[in-house]
Amino acid sequence: MQLNVTGFFDTDFRRLNADYRRFSKWEKPQRNLRRSASKSALICVKRFRPLEDNYAMPAIVLSTLNARYAHASLGIRYLFANLDDDLRSDAKIVEFVIGSKTESLVEQILAENPRVVTFGVYIWNVDETTKMIAMLKAVAPQIKVVIGGPEVSFEIPEQRVCALADYVITGPGDITLNKLVRALIHGPRPLMKVHPGEEPDLETLTLPYAYYTDEDIAKRNLYVEASRGCPFKCEFCLSALDKTAVPFPLEKFLDEMANLYDRGARTFKFVDRTFNLNIKVSLAILDFFLERINAKPDDPCFAHFELVPDHLPEKLKATIAKFPAGTLQFEIGIQTWNVDVQANISRKQNNDKAKDNIRWLHENSHAHMHVDLIAGLPGETFASFGQGFDTLARLGPHEIQVGVLKRLRGTPIIRHTENFAMRYNPDAPYNILSNNELNFADLQRINRFARFWDLIGNSGRFPQSLPLVLREAPTSAFERFLALADWIYAETGATHMIALERLFDLVYRWLVEQGNEPTETAQAAILADYQKSGSKGRLSFMQRGLTVGDQATASAQRATPARQRRHLESVQAPNS
């Protein structure tokens, strides 16, 4: 692991449109999320109006619940930016984080005394948004509630959140929300409850980047987009409904990126589904960042893009090779190597070219690679999924995001429900529970595999130990790690809330007790990784605790996220 702008806050969904893979991490908020939520349940973006008017109550509140504080909603800023001037001057952006107490959130909205409240509804926040709206309508029924987003753009009659809301916008909300809110504030009152979103003209659409605050720039992920839509038809993805990809005016877009950069932004996450589809545009954007990295090598950018895996022309390779370590990340959606499964889901992919390109990136560039696989696709067996994992692991990406199929509302994947006995969770995140190839127990094992792989394989904390786990003799890497995941679960009965020190001990014990590694070899690898982690505890085979702190991070890596930095450090300083 992010489109026919099928969402009210549509651009955020393009970022997470692949939540079939991201929400393999779907879980109740972790301790760090609860900590950030309790620290600041409300992320209140200051109103964009003259200071003397700051105490006036807004008539319009634009709201959503983000998965994490670090996720600054791009879509909500598009909505704000494209309100008419008079409406924008009477509007306020109010963002929350999931995991907060409903009463507290409703109280904070009511404190604004709005006439209209809008919510962006997504797979990760639909349950909490439903509770918020139900409570809001109970205590303040006079407030008009407008909802939109990918979660409520389809199957509207079946959803309680749609019944609770006064109005629903399906599809893009950039233009339609402005018209609807004007009617609600100034009349005449709209008669229709459901309003199909009007497709915006990207040539004239107001870009939202000026509405990232200084706090956003300093502390949060900045999401940007150079295009909308996708020409491919992968049936698990809402982008399958798009006709093609449409670019924003390049010069205008780069001017906005320059403004963000000049304000101090250094982390840019592109939500485009097919960044490398138009090579001319791709090169211009890469050159934009490369020029600034070269001009300020001690204060570089970090840019994240999603790549089409089988399309990497030589010109693009030449530019990618120029980026220094810690400045470039590619998310590459493989999803499956099984050609029969690819045919089932209408996915066109040249597997040989995709392998060559991943191999090239591994061997000839410093780009951090995050590559996606999906379990539970129609026709994918347990064995073929494992073989796909092994194929990908041999290619050497830094991270393999193992996800389980989600039935996103509106996606064509539903056509396979009967033929492949696809059974989905009736509640969000609508994950596959079983099909004719994988029973419920199989998918539970894969879910646990994905969770422990994220903690051990993707975390960058086990660079010396992981190769011992993944030895392919006498079995495969997938089978070895699956055995480790099964064993950890049997030992702990848990997939979450496992302390880092205990996790190191568990991996060590498995290597010695189950993995047939010599004790000395396992101890040396685990100890090297544990020392590098900066932990201060004592592992079971240690005579005294460590007080090793994290190694000082060079300022040149300031913009590089922590996990990617760990991968980078393990490559730069391999164990001799």
Side-chain angles (χ1 to χ4, degrees):
M1 45 159 353
Q2 94 140 357
L3 172 72
N4 177 21
V5 191
T6 52
F8 187 53
F9 296 169
D10 51 286
T11 40
D12 291 301
F13 185 66
R14 283 195 297 285
R15 166 172 58 84
L16 286 161
N17 188 10
D19 54 320
Y20 42 79
R21 55 190 190 262
R22 299 236 197 269
F23 280 81
S24 60
K25 304 177 188 176
W26 182 274
E27 60 206 37
K28 290 185 178 180
Q30 297 295 297
R31 283 177 294 178
N32 62 336
L33 177 56
R34 284 200 289 269
R35 192 154 48 238
S36 65
S38 61
K39 180 179 179 182
S40 178
L42 172 64
I43 310 165
C44 183
V45 180
K46 292 183 179 179
R47 300 182 68 197
F48 304 104
R49 51 165 52 196
L51 288 176
E52 61 269 18
D53 293 337
N54 271 356
Y55 295 100
M57 294 295 186
I60 308 155
V61 166
L62 307 180
S63 187
T64 192
L65 288 92
N66 298 315
R68 293 178 177 83
Y69 166 75
H71 297 172
S73 171
L74 175 59
I76 203 172
R77 287 162 177 78
Y78 264 111
L79 298 178
F80 186 88
N82 285 280
L83 292 174
D84 291 336
D85 290 346
D86 62 320
L87 294 177
R88 195 184 320 111
S89 68
D90 208 12
K92 184 175 183 177
I93 293 176
V94 180
E95 295 177 89
F96 300 103
V97 176
I98 60 172
S100 304
K101 191 174 181 180
T102 302
E103 290 86 347
S104 174
L105 305 185
V106 170
E107 182 180 24
Q108 291 174 75
I109 286 180
L110 291 177
E112 303 294 344
N113 195 29
R115 293 173 59 187
V116 178
V117 178
T118 72
F119 291 97
V121 189
Y122 304 93
I123 194 172
W124 64 85
N125 71 15
V126 59
D127 291 338
E128 294 187 34
T129 303
T130 302
K131 292 177 183 178
M132 280 187 68
I133 295 174
M135 188 175 293
L136 185 64
K137 295 301 287 186
V139 298
Q142 75 281 3
I143 295 176
K144 297 304 178 184
V145 173
V146 182
I147 62 173
E151 183 65 14
V152 296
S153 289
F154 305 92
E155 304 173 17
I156 295 169
E158 291 84 0
Q159 299 191 65
R160 180 173 178 239
V161 68
C162 296
L164 289 168
D166 295 289
Y167 300 95
V168 180
I169 295 178
T170 63
D174 310 84
I175 306 303
T176 306
L177 179 68
N178 181 63
K179 295 179 179 179
L180 178 57
V181 167
R182 177 165 295 284
L184 292 175
I185 297 295
H186 300 293
R189 183 63 54 83
L191 298 178
M192 296 171 54
K193 175 169 183 166
V194 179
H195 295 255
E198 179 182 336
E199 289 289 346
D201 180 356
L202 301 191
E203 294 284 339
T204 59
L205 188 67
T206 302
L207 299 183
Y209 305 111
Y211 301 114
Y212 280 128
T213 66
D214 291 342
E215 180 180 344
D216 295 333
I217 290 172
K219 299 180 180 180
R220 308 176 73 190
N221 295 330
L222 301 189
Y223 296 98
V224 301
E225 59 175 354
S227 65
R228 287 188 180 182
C230 179
F232 302 110
K233 303 300 177 186
C234 307
E235 295 179 17
F236 53 78
C237 180
L238 268 174
S239 295
L241 306 180
D242 295 345
K243 295 180 181 179
T244 188
V246 181
F248 283 87
L250 182 59
E251 184 177 353
K252 179 180 177 182
F253 171 76
L254 291 179
D255 285 345
E256 292 287 339
M257 296 303 97
N259 289 337
L260 280 178
Y261 180 88
D262 291 343
R263 291 177 60 198
R266 293 297 182 267
T267 301
F268 297 78
K269 294 203 170 186
F270 281 71
V271 300
D272 307 53
R273 309 308 301 163
T274 52
F275 168 73
N276 57 323
L277 194 63
N278 185 324
I279 298 303
K280 182 179 179 181
V281 172
S282 304
L283 289 173
I285 293 172
L286 289 176
D287 285 340
F288 170 89
F289 289 110
L290 195 57
E291 288 171 6
R292 283 156 178 79
I293 290 169
N294 291 336
K296 294 185 177 181
D298 293 331
D299 186 21
C301 308
F302 177 83
H304 168 106
F305 303 97
E306 183 165 342
L307 291 188
V308 178
D310 54 6
H311 186 60
L312 206 62
E314 292 301 321
K315 287 184 178 180
L316 197 56
K317 288 181 179 178
T319 299
I320 290 170
K322 296 177 183 178
F323 276 78
T327 61
L328 193 60
Q329 174 167 287
F330 292 135
E331 181 174 338
I332 303 172
I334 292 298
Q335 321 311 359
T336 179
W337 295 108
N338 188 318
V339 293
D340 294 329
V341 177
Q342 289 171 351
N344 288 341
I345 60 174
S346 305
R347 181 175 179 83
K348 295 181 179 180
Q349 178 174 286
N350 185 318
N351 285 344
D352 289 336
K353 285 187 177 180
K355 293 174 186 176
D356 288 343
N357 289 337
I358 294 173
R359 191 178 294 112
W360 183 91
L361 287 167
H362 175 72
E363 296 174 354
N364 299 280
S365 83
H366 297 293
H368 184 274
M369 284 188 289
H370 174 111
V371 187
D372 303 317
L373 286 178
I374 303 176
L377 291 169
E380 187 86 81
T381 66
F382 203 104
S384 69
F385 179 78
Q387 291 164 5
F389 180 91
D390 289 336
T391 297
L392 190 51
R394 294 185 195 109
L395 295 173
H398 301 89
E399 298 182 26
I400 301 174
Q401 183 64 58
V402 178
V404 174
L405 177 68
K406 311 296 189 296
R407 188 193 76 81
L408 306 182
R409 294 185 187 274
T411 55
I413 196 74
I414 195 171
R415 74 184 182 93
H416 297 294
T417 298
E418 295 306 318
N419 288 343
F420 290 89
M422 311 287 279
R423 301 292 179 259
Y424 298 96
N425 188 340
D427 299 317
Y430 317 117
N431 49 296
I432 186 77
L433 301 176
S434 67
N435 60 30
N436 65 343
E437 294 289 354
L438 300 171
N439 60 33
F440 182 74
D442 291 334
L443 281 161
Q444 286 295 95
R445 290 182 75 195
I446 293 175
N447 274 308
R448 290 191 288 269
F449 178 102
R451 172 60 181 167
F452 290 125
W453 177 258
D454 201 53
L455 291 176
I456 299 168
N458 285 344
S459 68
R461 298 185 186 277
F462 294 82
Q464 308 304 321
S465 310
L466 187 62
L468 302 182
V469 175
L470 299 182
R471 289 191 195 277
E472 292 206 58
T475 183
S476 76
F478 174 77
E479 290 175 351
R480 289 264 292 182
F481 198 89
L482 181 66
L484 170 62
D486 289 343
W487 183 85
I488 293 177
Y489 185 68
E491 288 287 311
T492 65
T495 57
H496 297 85
M497 309 298 287
I498 299 175
L500 184 60
E501 179 181 327
R502 188 183 187 195
L503 185 62
F504 272 100
D505 248 332
L506 287 165
V507 175
Y508 165 71
R509 285 181 54 204
W510 183 87
L511 285 170
V512 174
E513 298 172 19
Q514 306 292 323
N516 298 318
E517 286 296 331
T519 300
E520 296 78 8
T521 303
Q523 285 185 358
I526 288 290
L527 185 58
D529 291 339
Y530 187 63
Q531 287 177 317
K532 192 171 183 179
S533 75
S535 298
K536 299 180 180 180
R538 183 170 67 86
L539 301 181
S540 60
F541 61 84
M542 294 168 55
Q543 294 183 353
R544 61 184 178 83
L546 289 175
T547 57
V548 180
D550 286 319
Q551 298 176 357
T553 300
S555 61
Q557 294 178 15
R558 180 180 66 83
T560 310
R563 176 180 283 195
Q564 287 84 340
R565 197 162 55 238
R566 289 195 292 269
H567 287 298
L568 174 63
E569 290 168 354
S570 68
V571 171
Q572 290 178 334
N575 187 30
S576 55

